Amino acid sequence: MKILQHIIPILFLLLGVVTQAQEVQLNTYSFGEGLRFQTGSGSEFNIKAYLQPAYEIKDYTDEDEIGQLSRFRLRRARLRLDGNSANERFSYRLQVDLSGTSELGDDTTGNYLLDAYVAYDVTRTINIAFGQRSTYTDNRELFMLSNSLQLVERSRLTSAFASIREFGIFAQGRFRTGGGSYLKPYLVVTNGDGSNAFGRDFGGLKVGGRLDFLPFGLFTNFGQFRQADVVRELSPKLVVGVNGSYNSGISSRRGRESGAILYLNDNDEESLPDYSKVGVDFMFKYNGFSVLGEYVKSFATVPTDITQRVRNDGSTSTNFDVNGQQDVENYVKGRMMLGDGFNIQAGYLFKNGISVDGRFTHLNADENSFLNNATFYNRPNYYTLGVSKYLARNYGAKIQASVTYVDGDGINDNQGEAFVNSIGDPRDVNEWIARIQLTLSL
Protein backbone atom coordinates (compact mmCIF):
# COMPACT_ATOMS: atom_id res chain seq x y z
CA MET A 1 0.00 0.00 0.00
CA LYS A 2 2.87 2.40 0.67
CA ILE A 3 3.94 2.33 -2.95
CA LEU A 4 0.43 3.35 -4.04
CA GLN A 5 0.69 6.51 -1.93
CA HIS A 6 3.49 7.62 -4.25
CA ILE A 7 2.58 6.07 -7.61
CA ILE A 8 -1.03 7.34 -7.78
CA PRO A 9 -0.06 11.04 -7.48
CA ILE A 10 2.62 10.46 -10.10
CA LEU A 11 0.08 9.04 -12.53
CA PHE A 12 -2.22 12.00 -11.99
CA LEU A 13 0.65 14.42 -12.59
CA LEU A 14 1.65 12.69 -15.82
CA LEU A 15 -1.98 12.69 -16.94
CA GLY A 16 -2.19 16.41 -16.22
CA VAL A 17 0.89 17.14 -18.28
CA VAL A 18 -0.51 15.33 -21.29
CA THR A 19 -4.10 16.57 -21.14
CA GLN A 20 -3.19 20.21 -20.64
CA ALA A 21 -1.03 20.22 -23.75
CA GLN A 22 -2.87 20.51 -27.05
CA GLU A 23 -0.05 18.80 -28.86
CA VAL A 24 2.90 16.73 -27.67
CA GLN A 25 5.76 15.93 -30.01
CA LEU A 26 8.98 13.97 -29.51
CA ASN A 27 11.69 16.57 -29.88
CA THR A 28 14.91 14.56 -29.42
CA TYR A 29 16.07 11.19 -28.15
CA SER A 30 19.59 10.33 -27.03
CA PHE A 31 20.40 6.92 -25.59
CA GLY A 32 21.18 7.33 -21.92
CA GLU A 33 19.82 10.89 -21.82
CA GLY A 34 16.14 10.03 -22.30
CA LEU A 35 13.23 11.28 -24.36
CA ARG A 36 12.61 15.01 -24.71
CA PHE A 37 9.11 16.16 -25.66
CA GLN A 38 7.74 19.57 -26.59
CA THR A 39 4.13 20.63 -26.10
CA GLY A 40 2.04 22.87 -28.29
CA SER A 41 2.41 25.70 -25.79
CA GLY A 42 6.21 25.58 -26.06
CA SER A 43 6.95 23.88 -22.74
CA GLU A 44 9.25 20.84 -22.63
CA PHE A 45 9.58 17.72 -20.53
CA ASN A 46 12.14 14.96 -20.45
CA ILE A 47 11.63 11.31 -19.42
CA LYS A 48 14.60 9.28 -18.20
CA ALA A 49 14.79 5.79 -16.74
CA TYR A 50 17.39 3.20 -15.86
CA LEU A 51 17.72 -0.25 -14.28
CA GLN A 52 20.62 -1.64 -12.25
CA PRO A 53 20.46 -5.39 -11.49
CA ALA A 54 23.34 -6.39 -9.23
CA TYR A 55 25.02 -9.30 -7.45
CA GLU A 56 27.00 -9.04 -4.22
CA ILE A 57 29.03 -11.54 -2.22
CA LYS A 58 30.59 -10.89 1.18
CA ASP A 59 33.28 -13.07 2.70
CA TYR A 60 35.50 -12.96 5.79
CA THR A 61 39.13 -13.75 6.51
CA ASP A 62 38.12 -16.86 8.50
CA GLU A 63 35.76 -18.37 5.96
CA ASP A 64 35.89 -21.94 7.35
CA GLU A 65 33.79 -20.97 10.34
CA ILE A 66 32.05 -17.79 9.19
CA GLY A 67 31.12 -18.59 5.62
CA GLN A 68 29.81 -16.32 2.87
CA LEU A 69 26.82 -14.06 2.31
CA SER A 70 25.54 -13.37 -1.18
CA ARG A 71 22.49 -11.86 -2.84
CA PHE A 72 20.99 -11.00 -6.22
CA ARG A 73 18.75 -7.93 -6.34
CA LEU A 74 17.47 -5.06 -8.45
CA ARG A 75 19.68 -2.30 -7.04
CA ARG A 76 17.81 0.58 -8.67
CA ALA A 77 14.80 0.98 -10.96
CA ARG A 78 14.36 4.69 -11.47
CA LEU A 79 12.00 6.82 -13.49
CA ARG A 80 12.52 10.58 -13.75
CA LEU A 81 10.41 13.34 -15.25
CA ASP A 82 11.92 16.81 -15.76
CA GLY A 83 10.18 19.73 -17.38
CA ASN A 84 10.13 23.48 -17.85
CA SER A 85 7.72 26.17 -18.93
CA ALA A 86 7.75 27.80 -22.35
CA ASN A 87 9.80 30.74 -21.07
CA GLU A 88 12.08 28.24 -19.21
CA ARG A 89 11.85 30.15 -15.92
CA PHE A 90 9.71 27.52 -14.17
CA SER A 91 10.94 23.92 -13.99
CA TYR A 92 10.16 20.77 -12.05
CA ARG A 93 11.45 17.29 -11.35
CA LEU A 94 9.76 14.11 -10.22
CA GLN A 95 11.82 10.95 -9.62
CA VAL A 96 10.82 7.59 -8.16
CA ASP A 97 12.66 4.35 -7.44
CA LEU A 98 10.56 1.21 -7.81
CA SER A 99 13.22 -1.22 -6.58
CA GLY A 100 12.29 -0.79 -2.90
CA THR A 101 15.93 -0.69 -1.79
CA SER A 102 17.53 2.06 0.24
CA GLU A 103 19.49 4.89 -1.34
CA LEU A 104 22.78 3.52 -0.03
CA GLY A 105 22.22 -0.17 -0.63
CA ASP A 106 21.92 -1.31 2.98
CA ASP A 107 19.25 -3.64 4.33
CA THR A 108 16.70 -0.93 5.15
CA THR A 109 13.61 -0.28 3.06
CA GLY A 110 13.97 2.55 0.60
CA ASN A 111 11.68 5.47 -0.20
CA TYR A 112 9.86 5.19 -3.51
CA LEU A 113 9.62 8.96 -3.88
CA LEU A 114 13.08 10.48 -4.38
CA ASP A 115 12.73 13.93 -5.95
CA ALA A 116 9.63 16.10 -6.10
CA TYR A 117 10.22 19.82 -6.45
CA VAL A 118 9.47 22.92 -8.48
CA ALA A 119 12.05 25.59 -9.28
CA TYR A 120 12.07 29.18 -10.53
CA ASP A 121 14.86 31.16 -12.18
CA VAL A 122 14.78 34.46 -10.32
CA THR A 123 17.47 35.73 -12.71
CA ARG A 124 19.72 34.08 -15.25
CA THR A 125 22.17 33.28 -12.46
CA ILE A 126 19.93 32.59 -9.42
CA ASN A 127 17.54 29.65 -9.03
CA ILE A 128 15.24 28.76 -6.11
CA ALA A 129 13.61 25.33 -5.66
CA PHE A 130 10.98 24.11 -3.20
CA GLY A 131 10.24 20.49 -2.37
CA GLN A 132 12.24 17.31 -1.84
CA ARG A 133 15.62 16.76 -3.47
CA SER A 134 19.28 15.91 -2.80
CA THR A 135 20.79 18.53 -0.53
CA TYR A 136 23.78 20.76 -1.27
CA THR A 137 25.15 20.35 2.27
CA ASP A 138 26.22 16.71 1.79
CA ASN A 139 29.59 15.58 0.44
CA ARG A 140 30.18 16.02 -3.29
CA GLU A 141 29.44 12.40 -4.19
CA LEU A 142 25.76 13.07 -3.45
CA PHE A 143 25.78 15.53 -6.37
CA MET A 144 26.53 12.63 -8.71
CA LEU A 145 23.79 10.78 -10.57
CA SER A 146 23.59 7.12 -9.51
CA ASN A 147 23.94 5.81 -13.07
CA SER A 148 27.16 7.82 -13.54
CA LEU A 149 29.12 6.40 -10.56
CA GLN A 150 32.59 5.17 -11.55
CA LEU A 151 32.37 2.36 -8.97
CA VAL A 152 29.46 0.03 -8.26
CA GLU A 153 28.46 1.71 -4.98
CA ARG A 154 28.93 5.04 -3.28
CA SER A 155 31.62 5.38 -0.64
CA ARG A 156 31.13 4.56 3.03
CA LEU A 157 31.69 8.25 3.81
CA THR A 158 28.34 8.94 2.17
CA SER A 159 26.68 6.18 4.16
CA ALA A 160 28.08 7.48 7.44
CA PHE A 161 27.33 11.19 7.24
CA ALA A 162 24.97 12.09 4.37
CA SER A 163 21.31 12.94 4.89
CA ILE A 164 20.87 12.35 1.11
CA ARG A 165 17.50 14.00 0.44
CA GLU A 166 15.65 16.69 2.34
CA PHE A 167 12.46 18.71 2.12
CA GLY A 168 12.70 22.49 2.07
CA ILE A 169 13.97 25.49 0.11
CA PHE A 170 17.11 25.29 -2.02
CA ALA A 171 18.77 28.32 -3.60
CA GLN A 172 21.76 28.30 -5.93
CA GLY A 173 23.67 30.81 -8.00
CA ARG A 174 26.28 30.85 -10.74
CA PHE A 175 28.52 33.87 -11.23
CA ARG A 176 31.49 34.58 -13.50
CA THR A 177 34.53 35.73 -11.53
CA GLY A 178 36.95 36.63 -14.30
CA GLY A 179 39.39 34.66 -16.39
CA GLY A 180 36.76 32.08 -17.27
CA SER A 181 36.29 31.01 -13.63
CA TYR A 182 32.96 30.61 -11.84
CA LEU A 183 31.68 30.85 -8.27
CA LYS A 184 28.64 28.79 -7.28
CA PRO A 185 26.99 29.57 -3.90
CA TYR A 186 24.23 27.38 -2.45
CA LEU A 187 21.85 28.02 0.46
CA VAL A 188 19.51 25.43 2.04
CA VAL A 189 16.73 25.67 4.65
CA THR A 190 14.98 22.34 5.32
CA ASN A 191 12.98 20.50 7.96
CA GLY A 192 16.17 18.68 8.99
CA ASP A 193 14.58 15.23 8.94
CA GLY A 194 15.69 13.86 5.59
CA SER A 195 12.93 12.94 3.15
CA ASN A 196 9.50 14.48 3.63
CA ALA A 197 7.99 13.51 7.00
CA PHE A 198 4.43 12.26 6.34
CA GLY A 199 3.76 12.12 10.08
CA ARG A 200 4.77 14.55 12.77
CA ASP A 201 7.83 16.69 12.11
CA PHE A 202 10.16 16.66 15.12
CA GLY A 203 12.83 19.18 16.04
CA GLY A 204 13.65 22.50 14.40
CA LEU A 205 14.99 23.59 11.03
CA LYS A 206 18.27 22.78 9.35
CA VAL A 207 20.24 25.62 7.77
CA GLY A 208 23.28 25.09 5.59
CA GLY A 209 25.17 26.08 2.50
CA ARG A 210 27.94 25.35 0.09
CA LEU A 211 30.42 27.43 -1.92
CA ASP A 212 32.02 25.96 -5.05
CA PHE A 213 34.80 27.52 -7.10
CA LEU A 214 35.58 26.43 -10.67
CA PRO A 215 38.88 28.08 -11.67
CA PHE A 216 38.97 26.63 -15.22
CA GLY A 217 35.34 27.15 -16.21
CA LEU A 218 32.31 24.86 -16.33
CA PHE A 219 32.50 21.12 -16.96
CA THR A 220 31.23 19.75 -20.29
CA ASN A 221 27.72 18.24 -20.44
CA PHE A 222 27.01 18.60 -16.69
CA GLY A 223 30.24 16.77 -15.89
CA GLN A 224 30.35 18.42 -12.47
CA PHE A 225 27.45 16.14 -11.50
CA ARG A 226 28.78 12.92 -13.07
CA GLN A 227 31.80 10.91 -11.99
CA ALA A 228 33.75 9.21 -14.77
CA ASP A 229 35.08 11.51 -17.50
CA VAL A 230 33.04 10.04 -20.35
CA VAL A 231 33.27 13.21 -22.46
CA ARG A 232 37.09 13.25 -22.06
CA GLU A 233 37.49 16.91 -21.12
CA LEU A 234 39.74 18.67 -23.65
CA SER A 235 41.10 21.03 -20.98
CA PRO A 236 41.54 20.49 -17.22
CA LYS A 237 38.38 21.04 -15.16
CA LEU A 238 38.38 21.50 -11.40
CA VAL A 239 35.78 22.29 -8.76
CA VAL A 240 36.69 22.94 -5.12
CA GLY A 241 34.02 23.38 -2.48
CA VAL A 242 33.29 23.87 1.20
CA ASN A 243 30.00 23.10 2.92
CA GLY A 244 28.42 23.26 6.34
CA SER A 245 25.08 22.80 8.09
CA TYR A 246 23.42 23.22 11.48
CA ASN A 247 20.45 21.05 12.42
CA SER A 248 18.51 22.45 15.38
CA GLY A 249 16.94 19.54 17.25
CA ILE A 250 17.76 16.28 15.46
CA SER A 251 15.60 13.18 16.02
CA SER A 252 17.76 10.57 14.26
CA ARG A 253 21.41 9.60 13.94
CA ARG A 254 22.34 12.09 11.18
CA GLY A 255 19.11 13.82 10.18
CA ARG A 256 17.74 11.16 7.86
CA GLU A 257 14.54 9.97 9.60
CA SER A 258 12.10 12.07 11.62
CA GLY A 259 11.22 10.78 15.08
CA ALA A 260 13.59 7.80 15.09
CA ILE A 261 15.35 8.85 18.33
CA LEU A 262 13.57 11.07 20.87
CA TYR A 263 14.42 12.50 24.30
CA LEU A 264 12.34 14.31 26.94
CA ASN A 265 12.95 16.57 29.93
CA ASP A 266 11.31 16.41 33.39
CA ASN A 267 8.17 18.09 32.02
CA ASP A 268 7.77 15.41 29.32
CA GLU A 269 8.70 17.99 26.70
CA GLU A 270 10.91 17.15 23.76
CA SER A 271 14.58 18.01 24.25
CA LEU A 272 16.71 17.09 21.26
CA PRO A 273 20.44 17.44 20.48
CA ASP A 274 21.76 19.75 17.76
CA TYR A 275 23.87 18.34 14.94
CA SER A 276 26.46 20.22 12.87
CA LYS A 277 28.53 19.14 9.90
CA VAL A 278 31.33 20.73 7.88
CA GLY A 279 33.16 19.47 4.82
CA VAL A 280 35.58 20.25 2.03
CA ASP A 281 35.84 18.45 -1.32
CA PHE A 282 37.08 18.68 -4.90
CA MET A 283 36.79 16.99 -8.28
CA PHE A 284 39.21 17.09 -11.21
CA LYS A 285 38.73 15.80 -14.76
CA TYR A 286 40.92 15.80 -17.83
CA ASN A 287 41.13 13.61 -20.93
CA GLY A 288 39.47 10.56 -19.35
CA PHE A 289 41.17 10.93 -15.94
CA SER A 290 39.11 11.86 -12.89
CA VAL A 291 39.78 12.38 -9.18
CA LEU A 292 37.29 12.94 -6.37
CA GLY A 293 38.31 13.88 -2.81
CA GLU A 294 36.05 14.56 0.18
CA TYR A 295 36.38 15.27 3.91
CA VAL A 296 33.53 15.49 6.46
CA LYS A 297 33.48 16.30 10.18
CA SER A 298 30.39 16.20 12.43
CA PHE A 299 29.62 17.65 15.88
CA ALA A 300 26.78 17.44 18.41
CA THR A 301 25.50 19.60 21.27
CA VAL A 302 23.39 17.80 23.87
CA PRO A 303 20.86 19.75 26.01
CA THR A 304 21.48 19.58 29.75
CA ASP A 305 17.79 19.08 30.63
CA ILE A 306 17.37 15.62 29.04
CA THR A 307 16.14 13.14 31.66
CA GLN A 308 14.21 10.55 29.61
CA ARG A 309 14.55 8.65 26.37
CA VAL A 310 11.70 7.25 24.28
CA ARG A 311 11.87 3.54 23.43
CA ASN A 312 10.75 2.10 20.09
CA ASP A 313 7.41 1.03 21.62
CA GLY A 314 6.69 4.57 22.85
CA SER A 315 7.48 3.94 26.51
CA THR A 316 10.14 5.99 28.31
CA SER A 317 13.24 5.17 30.31
CA THR A 318 15.55 7.16 32.58
CA ASN A 319 18.45 4.76 32.02
CA PHE A 320 21.42 6.39 30.25
CA ASP A 321 24.05 3.82 31.13
CA VAL A 322 27.52 4.27 29.60
CA ASN A 323 30.15 1.84 30.88
CA GLY A 324 28.25 1.30 34.10
CA GLN A 325 27.56 4.97 34.85
CA GLN A 326 24.69 7.37 34.17
CA ASP A 327 26.01 9.68 31.44
CA VAL A 328 23.29 11.44 29.47
CA GLU A 329 25.54 13.41 27.14
CA ASN A 330 27.72 10.51 26.03
CA TYR A 331 24.74 8.14 25.80
CA VAL A 332 23.02 10.53 23.40
CA LYS A 333 26.21 11.02 21.37
CA GLY A 334 26.70 7.26 21.23
CA ARG A 335 23.54 7.00 19.11
CA MET A 336 24.63 9.68 16.62
CA MET A 337 27.05 9.64 13.67
CA LEU A 338 29.92 11.61 15.18
CA GLY A 339 33.49 11.75 13.98
CA ASP A 340 35.22 12.55 10.73
CA GLY A 341 36.30 10.79 7.58
CA PHE A 342 37.64 11.21 4.09
CA ASN A 343 37.22 9.56 0.73
CA ILE A 344 39.65 9.71 -2.19
CA GLN A 345 39.03 7.98 -5.50
CA ALA A 346 40.51 8.17 -8.98
CA GLY A 347 40.13 6.44 -12.30
CA TYR A 348 40.96 6.50 -15.97
CA LEU A 349 38.54 5.78 -18.80
CA PHE A 350 40.30 4.43 -21.89
CA LYS A 351 39.06 5.25 -25.38
CA ASN A 352 37.85 1.66 -25.79
CA GLY A 353 35.31 2.20 -22.98
CA ILE A 354 37.18 0.33 -20.23
CA SER A 355 37.66 2.18 -16.96
CA VAL A 356 39.99 1.25 -14.10
CA ASP A 357 39.19 2.91 -10.76
CA GLY A 358 40.39 2.83 -7.17
CA ARG A 359 39.13 4.24 -3.89
CA PHE A 360 40.23 4.56 -0.26
CA THR A 361 37.80 5.61 2.47
CA HIS A 362 38.72 6.19 6.11
CA LEU A 363 36.28 6.76 8.99
CA ASN A 364 37.46 8.04 12.37
CA ALA A 365 34.80 7.68 15.06
CA ASP A 366 34.54 9.87 18.14
CA GLU A 367 34.85 8.02 21.45
CA ASN A 368 31.06 8.15 21.83
CA SER A 369 29.52 7.64 18.38
CA PHE A 370 27.34 5.17 16.50
CA LEU A 371 30.31 4.80 14.16
CA ASN A 372 31.61 2.41 16.83
CA ASN A 373 28.63 0.09 16.37
CA ALA A 374 30.11 -3.34 15.65
CA THR A 375 27.30 -4.58 13.41
CA PHE A 376 27.08 -1.71 10.94
CA TYR A 377 30.35 0.20 11.35
CA ASN A 378 33.50 -0.12 13.52
CA ARG A 379 35.32 -0.61 10.24
CA PRO A 380 37.80 2.26 9.78
CA ASN A 381 39.32 1.52 6.35
CA TYR A 382 37.80 0.56 2.99
CA TYR A 383 39.97 -0.27 -0.05
CA THR A 384 38.18 -0.69 -3.40
CA LEU A 385 39.36 -1.59 -6.89
CA GLY A 386 36.93 -1.52 -9.79
CA VAL A 387 36.77 -2.21 -13.52
CA SER A 388 33.98 -1.00 -15.80
CA LYS A 389 33.09 -1.45 -19.45
CA TYR A 390 31.03 1.36 -20.96
CA LEU A 391 28.88 -0.09 -23.73
CA ALA A 392 27.89 3.33 -25.05
CA ARG A 393 29.63 6.66 -25.44
CA ASN A 394 27.86 8.01 -22.39
CA TYR A 395 26.37 6.55 -19.22
CA GLY A 396 23.57 4.72 -21.05
CA ALA A 397 24.88 1.18 -20.63
CA LYS A 398 27.79 -0.27 -18.70
CA ILE A 399 28.96 -3.32 -16.78
CA GLN A 400 30.86 -2.74 -13.53
CA ALA A 401 32.70 -4.98 -11.08
CA SER A 402 34.51 -4.12 -7.87
CA VAL A 403 36.29 -5.74 -4.95
CA THR A 404 36.46 -4.07 -1.52
CA TYR A 405 38.67 -5.03 1.41
CA VAL A 406 37.42 -3.77 4.78
CA ASP A 407 39.42 -3.54 8.01
CA GLY A 408 37.46 -4.94 10.94
CA ASP A 409 38.01 -3.80 14.51
CA GLY A 410 35.91 -6.07 16.73
CA ILE A 411 32.93 -6.50 14.42
CA ASN A 412 29.63 -8.41 14.40
CA ASP A 413 27.90 -10.41 11.70
CA ASN A 414 24.61 -9.27 10.13
CA GLN A 415 22.67 -10.83 13.01
CA GLY A 416 24.58 -8.78 15.58
CA GLU A 417 26.64 -11.70 16.88
CA ALA A 418 30.30 -10.94 17.62
CA PHE A 419 32.97 -12.86 15.74
CA VAL A 420 34.92 -14.78 18.41
CA ASN A 421 37.49 -17.58 18.42
CA SER A 422 37.15 -21.04 19.97
CA ILE A 423 37.84 -19.76 23.52
CA GLY A 424 35.45 -16.83 23.29
CA ASP A 425 37.92 -14.02 22.57
CA PRO A 426 37.17 -11.42 19.89
CA ARG A 427 38.57 -12.50 16.56
CA ASP A 428 40.51 -10.29 14.18
CA VAL A 429 38.11 -10.57 11.24
CA ASN A 430 38.15 -8.47 8.07
CA GLU A 431 35.67 -8.39 5.21
CA TRP A 432 35.88 -8.91 1.46
CA ILE A 433 33.01 -7.61 -0.68
CA ALA A 434 32.71 -8.37 -4.40
CA ARG A 435 30.06 -6.71 -6.54
CA ILE A 436 28.97 -6.76 -10.18
CA GLN A 437 26.30 -4.54 -11.68
CA LEU A 438 24.70 -3.82 -15.06
CA THR A 439 23.33 -0.36 -15.85
CA LEU A 440 20.85 0.02 -18.70
CA SER A 441 19.29 3.42 -19.34
CA LEU A 442 16.48 4.69 -21.55
Side-chain angles (χ1 to χ4, degrees):
M1 294 299 295
K2 287 185 178 181
I3 188 172
L4 294 179
Q5 296 176 359
H6 304 306
I7 299 303
I8 290 177
I10 293 169
L11 294 178
F12 275 109
L13 178 60
L14 291 173
L15 180 63
V17 170
V18 175
T19 56
Q20 289 181 20
Q22 298 179 352
E23 181 182 2
V24 178
Q25 294 182 340
L26 176 61
N27 194 359
T28 60
Y29 170 67
S30 176
F31 178 64
E33 299 294 339
L35 300 159
R36 179 165 292 278
F37 297 88
Q38 188 170 36
T39 69
S41 63
S43 62
E44 295 182 336
F45 64 93
N46 188 31
I47 298 177
K48 295 182 179 181
Y50 64 91
L51 300 173
Q52 289 184 322
Y55 173 72
E56 176 183 284
I57 184 169
K58 183 182 293 186
D59 201 3
Y60 301 89
T61 53
D62 191 347
E63 63 180 43
D64 292 337
E65 295 184 33
I66 300 174
Q68 299 178 342
L69 300 172
S70 63
R71 58 177 174 175
F72 286 96
R73 60 176 178 156
L74 184 59
R75 178 63 186 89
R76 297 179 181 91
R78 296 192 176 176
L79 174 65
R80 193 176 96 182
L81 173 66
D82 297 279
N84 57 263
S85 61
N87 63 8
E88 299 186 352
R89 299 196 71 173
F90 283 98
S91 60
Y92 59 88
R93 174 175 294 178
L94 184 66
Q95 182 175 204
V96 296
D97 189 337
L98 305 181
S99 68
T101 61
S102 76
E103 184 79 0
L104 292 167
D106 53 29
D107 293 326
T108 60
T109 301
N111 293 319
Y112 296 103
L113 181 62
L114 301 181
D115 297 319
Y117 65 85
V118 293
Y120 177 70
D121 289 338
V122 180
T123 68
R124 291 184 178 182
T125 58
I126 299 176
N127 174 274
I128 295 179
F130 176 71
Q132 178 175 301
R133 60 162 298 157
S134 57
T135 179
Y136 305 131
T137 58
D138 278 336
N139 52 300
R140 184 165 300 281
E141 191 180 40
L142 264 298
F143 276 51
M144 313 300 179
L145 299 175
S146 297
N147 63 337
S148 74
L149 300 179
Q150 63 185 144
L151 291 158
V152 177
E153 279 293 352
R154 299 185 188 272
S155 74
R156 200 59 169 161
L157 184 75
T158 294
S159 171
F161 297 106
S163 55
I164 306 177
R165 282 179 166 80
E166 299 183 7
F167 187 90
I169 300 174
F170 307 82
Q172 60 177 308
R174 186 180 71 183
F175 305 99
R176 289 180 178 270
T177 51
S181 63
Y182 282 83
L183 197 64
K184 289 187 173 184
Y186 301 84
L187 179 64
V188 177
V189 180
T190 70
N191 61 0
D193 294 309
S195 299
N196 183 37
F198 290 97
R200 181 181 172 185
D201 191 356
F202 295 88
L205 296 177
K206 177 180 178 180
V207 180
R210 166 179 281 274
L211 185 63
D212 281 352
F213 178 58
L214 295 87
F216 309 132
L218 302 177
F219 289 70
T220 304
N221 195 24
F222 303 103
Q224 181 182 346
F225 309 103
R226 300 173 175 183
Q227 283 193 359
D229 186 18
V230 170
V231 300
R232 306 186 68 84
E233 295 282 0
L234 297 179
S235 61
K237 299 296 181 182
L238 173 69
V239 56
V240 180
V242 294
N243 63 85
S245 62
Y246 175 77
N247 196 334
S248 176
I250 191 173
S251 59
S252 59
R253 303 195 193 282
R254 62 179 82 68
R256 204 183 281 177
E257 182 181 2
S258 179
I261 303 175
L262 297 174
Y263 303 98
L264 307 174
N265 59 24
D266 282 334
N267 298 322
D268 293 332
E269 299 168 335
E270 289 176 15
S271 183
L272 302 176
D274 299 331
Y275 187 73
S276 302
K277 189 170 62 176
V278 295
V280 58
D281 45 49
F282 76 93
M283 185 173 65
F284 174 82
K285 287 185 177 183
Y286 177 57
N287 197 30
F289 178 69
S290 59
V291 183
L292 172 67
E294 307 162 293
Y295 173 80
V296 176
K297 171 65 177 175
S298 62
F299 312 85
T301 302
V302 180
T304 58
D305 64 342
I306 292 178
T307 57
Q308 305 173 71
R309 58 183 175 87
V310 180
R311 298 188 180 100
N312 292 336
D313 61 3
S315 63
T316 61
S317 173
T318 58
N319 180 21
F320 291 87
D321 180 77
V322 178
N323 298 324
Q325 296 182 345
Q326 283 286 99
D327 190 337
V328 174
E329 179 177 355
N330 286 327
Y331 182 94
V332 172
K333 288 183 175 181
R335 303 175 76 187
M336 302 174 70
M337 306 302 283
L338 297 175
D340 65 306
F342 67 85
N343 175 62
I344 183 74
Q345 63 188 63
Y348 182 74
L349 178 59
F350 294 89
K351 292 183 179 180
N352 61 5
I354 294 178
S355 177
V356 179
D357 309 282
R359 175 167 67 199
F360 173 60
T361 304
H362 174 72
L363 300 179
N364 180 38
D366 285 356
E367 182 178 357
N368 294 284
S369 169
F370 193 75
L371 285 172
N372 295 312
N373 181 278
T375 300
F376 302 104
Y377 292 96
N378 211 33
R379 297 153 171 86
N381 299 308
Y382 299 78
Y383 309 84
T384 302
L385 179 64
V387 178
S388 303
K389 170 61 178 176
Y390 289 76
L391 306 176
R393 294 187 177 184
N394 56 14
Y395 305 96
K398 59 182 177 178
I399 299 175
Q400 295 177 286
S402 68
V403 176
T404 300
Y405 174 74
V406 186
D407 282 347
D409 186 17
I411 64 175
N412 297 344
D413 60 21
N414 287 356
Q415 286 72 45
E417 298 293 331
F419 292 127
V420 296
N421 59 23
S422 59
I423 61 173
D425 291 332
R427 193 186 319 171
D428 183 15
V429 174
N430 300 313
E431 295 176 323
W432 286 94
I433 305 173
R435 298 183 175 102
I436 185 169
Q437 180 173 269
L438 169 66
T439 297
L440 184 62
S441 305
L442 178 65

